[in-house]
Amino acid sequence: MAANRRPITLAAAVATAAVLGATFALPALAADDSSEAAPAAAPKLELVDGTLDWGIHANFRKYVIGPIAHGKITVTDGAQQAAGNGVFTFTGGTGTYDTGTHESRTAFKGGVRFEGHEGVLDVKLSDIKTGTGRQTGTITADFTSKKMDGTVVTKNDAPIADLDMTKAERGGGAGGAMVFSDIPAKLTADGVDAFGGFYAEGSALDAATLTVKTAAPDPDPSKDPSKDPSDDPSKEPSKDPSKEPSKDPSKEPSEEPTTGPTPSASETAAPVSGPVVDGTLNWGVKEKFRSYVVGPIARGKVETSGGATTAGDVYRFSRATGHLDADKNTLNAAFQGQVRFLGHEKDGAYELDLSLSNLKVDVKGTSGKLVADVSTKALPTGTNPNPKVDKLTGVDLADLKVPAGALAAKGGIVNLKDIPVTLTEGGAKAFGGFYKKGEQLDALNAVVSLDKDAQLPGGSTGGSGSTGGSGSTGGSTAGGSTTGGGGTVGGGSTGGTVGGSGALAATGSDVPTGALIAASGVVVAAGAGVVIAARRRRDATA
């Protein structure tokens, strides 16, 4: 499949730098994918003037220079950083490209150092190198990193990131260079050590951009004249016509049928309209935010009340009311209950205080809104050391993406499963501006009943008003104030865990802060961009 995107053949690569770049690294870019394609004495070409553009982790950069860490980022030895706390560029890349195996090795100049919390956070990366093969690649580095207990870990030539070369975008650069952009990168086991153990192995890092070109080629008369005319004309015409028709027609029909029917099993049911007599909404808000609140920095808790309960890793809002209009394909449903996040207790008061209540789902066709009443407190500042709580009513908190046919009732029940939730501009303001518009929140599940005798998932009837499932209808508390983060749900029979000790938690970013417990005076508002991590969690919608 990647072979269709290869602009120039391997033979041409041997002849010119531009062609080399086109065949660089990716397996499918080789003329022959067989393992025996490479001759025993395949030539190696010299790579010069390479660059690696890599931000490592955008949220980590924000955290280091933010109001919590009060730190700085320093580039050294020829490395550069883009304006506005942008990505890093490691320059002067030199190395080799093996025309037989299609593997490359490139070493770059420059390093970067992250410092924060008056030296408690200190990470140094240098001697950055890339190695790429047919399908995969690796970024290695020398690093020195402080652990939470103050010990220092030092490793040389350690693979800190794995690259997926099959998903790289290819293009041309100045001087015949080839550019591989948007290369997905994930943290390795050594990378975990580089960041003090507070990122989980496999965590997504910033995508990388690799630019390479060859030194002045040494023409080979026996190869160039014979292969260039035969290979280039045949590849270029075949690529464009074959690629466009094969992708567009095949992809469109295959994607639409698979996404539509799957989440909307009830769409073949007869249209039903009428008032909503009961229902529940299960939503975890944001996994990393939950973990942060009960983690070792905020040392807080999560409370539910007014008909909301904690059920495992989600909060359950109950006793739905509203209306379903099958003709207009609309649903309006309001759910009772409140969830309150509290953290950073100081002098008997919480500096982090965020409440969501009166949640409503407003669906029109395949789009919708999640509306809520919000109570939030701004981040304390020098000019405003004791901010008041702001109460906002009817905030369009998030956008919903609803599958076609999902509002068709089956057995008097409408079941919305795993609905994607994306933060709106109003929702970003509700979180104090520390989440941006477009931030992915946890998916939600909602079930509403139009029949008082219908059975809701969890065992209750449609008109009973009970939530069903685990969770007490009274107030419950999640989390605790222990340094390990607690996370065990208490204050009611809720059966489950919210957050957890050392989970890679964030209030909007994936920044490791294991060593930051020493910063005991830290003040954080909801979504302040701090990441707390001590154990690996499952991947969450970010």
Side-chain angles (χ1 to χ4, degrees):
M1 181 166 59
N4 292 333
R5 299 180 296 179
R6 173 191 174 203
I8 311 178
T9 65
L10 174 62
V14 178
T16 66
V19 177
L20 167 72
T23 60
F24 176 74
L26 295 182
L29 301 182
D32 186 353
D33 282 341
S34 66
S35 60
E36 298 178 357
K44 288 187 178 182
L45 303 179
E46 181 184 359
L47 300 179
V48 296
D49 300 330
T51 59
L52 175 67
D53 296 298
W54 188 38
I56 300 177
H57 202 302
N59 287 327
F60 182 54
R61 302 196 308 270
K62 293 177 188 176
Y63 171 75
V64 170
I65 66 170
I68 304 305
H70 292 289
K72 62 180 180 179
I73 300 173
T74 307
V75 289
T76 60
D77 301 327
Q80 303 167 7
Q81 184 179 19
N85 195 27
V87 302
F88 308 107
T89 299
F90 302 96
T91 59
T94 58
T96 60
Y97 170 69
D98 191 314
T99 60
T101 63
H102 307 285
E103 294 179 349
S104 74
R105 297 290 182 268
T106 312
F108 302 91
K109 297 179 181 178
V112 58
R113 182 177 184 180
F114 303 92
E115 299 174 87
H117 291 279
E118 299 180 353
V120 176
L121 185 159
D122 194 345
V123 175
K124 303 175 188 176
L125 301 176
S126 61
D127 193 21
I128 310 296
K129 299 175 183 176
T130 61
T132 66
R134 292 176 174 268
Q135 295 183 339
T136 62
T138 305
I139 296 177
T140 65
D142 296 348
F143 71 80
T144 300
S145 177
K146 279 188 179 180
K147 298 182 70 174
M148 186 174 65
D149 59 6
T151 60
V152 177
V153 177
T154 299
K155 291 186 180 181
N156 294 326
D157 291 327
I160 61 174
D162 287 330
L163 303 177
D164 184 353
M165 298 302 297
T166 65
K167 295 181 180 178
E169 296 292 333
R170 286 160 302 281
M178 185 63 190
V179 181
F180 295 85
S181 58
D182 295 328
I183 309 171
K186 291 185 177 181
L187 198 68
T188 63
D190 282 323
V192 173
D193 289 338
F195 289 97
F198 303 110
Y199 280 122
E201 182 179 356
S203 297
L205 303 174
D206 283 7
T209 295
L210 176 63
T211 302
V212 293
K213 65 178 180 180
T214 57
D218 184 12
D220 183 349
S222 66
K223 288 183 179 181
D224 294 344
S226 63
K227 289 193 176 181
D228 277 348
S230 62
D231 286 347
D232 287 348
S234 65
K235 283 283 179 178
E236 285 298 324
S238 64
K239 173 198 166 190
D240 291 341
S242 64
K243 185 179 177 184
E244 294 304 321
S246 64
K247 271 198 171 181
D248 293 344
S250 64
K251 215 170 187 182
E252 293 302 323
S254 64
E255 286 189 355
E256 286 299 324
T258 56
T259 53
T262 302
S264 54
S266 62
E267 64 183 344
T268 57
V272 177
S273 298
V276 172
V277 297
D278 196 14
T280 58
L281 170 68
N282 291 339
W283 187 42
V285 183
K286 187 172 180 65
E287 180 187 8
K288 291 182 174 66
F289 180 60
R290 300 194 311 264
S291 300
Y292 167 73
V293 170
V294 301
I297 300 300
R299 299 188 180 187
K301 59 183 178 180
V302 183
E303 297 177 343
T304 54
S305 60
T309 58
T310 304
D313 288 340
V314 301
Y315 309 108
R316 176 169 292 172
F317 304 88
S318 61
R319 304 168 190 167
T321 58
H323 190 271
L324 173 70
D325 190 322
D327 295 329
K328 296 181 180 179
N329 198 25
T330 61
L331 170 66
N332 299 292
F335 303 83
Q336 295 185 21
Q338 173 181 283
V339 58
R340 185 180 186 186
F341 301 93
L342 298 165
H344 292 285
E345 185 178 7
K346 185 178 181 180
D347 298 329
Y350 288 97
E351 292 172 333
L352 187 160
D353 191 344
L354 172 68
S355 296
L356 303 176
S357 61
N358 195 25
L359 271 66
K360 298 177 182 177
V361 171
D362 186 0
V363 179
K364 297 179 180 179
T366 57
S367 63
K369 294 283 187 182
L370 178 63
V371 181
D373 294 345
V374 179
S375 175
T376 184
K377 185 187 293 186
L379 176 70
T381 63
T383 58
N384 186 17
N386 298 303
K388 295 181 179 180
V389 173
D390 291 327
K391 295 186 177 181
L392 309 172
T393 303
V395 176
D396 284 345
L397 199 66
D399 290 322
L400 307 178
K401 186 176 181 181
V402 181
L407 296 186
K410 184 176 181 180
I413 298 291
V414 173
N415 200 346
L416 303 179
K417 298 180 179 179
D418 297 325
I419 303 300
V421 180
T422 306
L423 199 67
T424 62
E425 187 70 33
K429 292 179 180 178
F431 279 95
F434 298 109
Y435 284 125
K436 292 183 179 180
K437 177 183 177 181
E439 182 85 18
Q440 200 72 26
L441 304 179
D442 284 8
L444 66 78
N445 292 273
V447 55
V448 297
S449 173
L450 308 177
D451 184 350
K452 64 182 180 63
D453 296 322
Q455 193 81 8
L456 288 175
S460 63
T461 57
S464 67
S466 65
T467 61
S470 65
S472 160
T473 57
S476 63
T477 302
S481 59
T482 62
T483 58
T488 303
V489 175
S493 175
T494 54
T497 299
V498 175
S501 97
L504 182 64
T507 58
S509 60
D510 297 337
V511 182
T513 60
L516 310 182
I517 295 177
S520 58
V522 172
V523 175
V524 184
V530 180
V531 172
I532 319 309
R535 70 170 172 83
R536 187 179 307 170
R537 291 185 64 90
R538 71 177 189 277
D539 290 337
T541 303

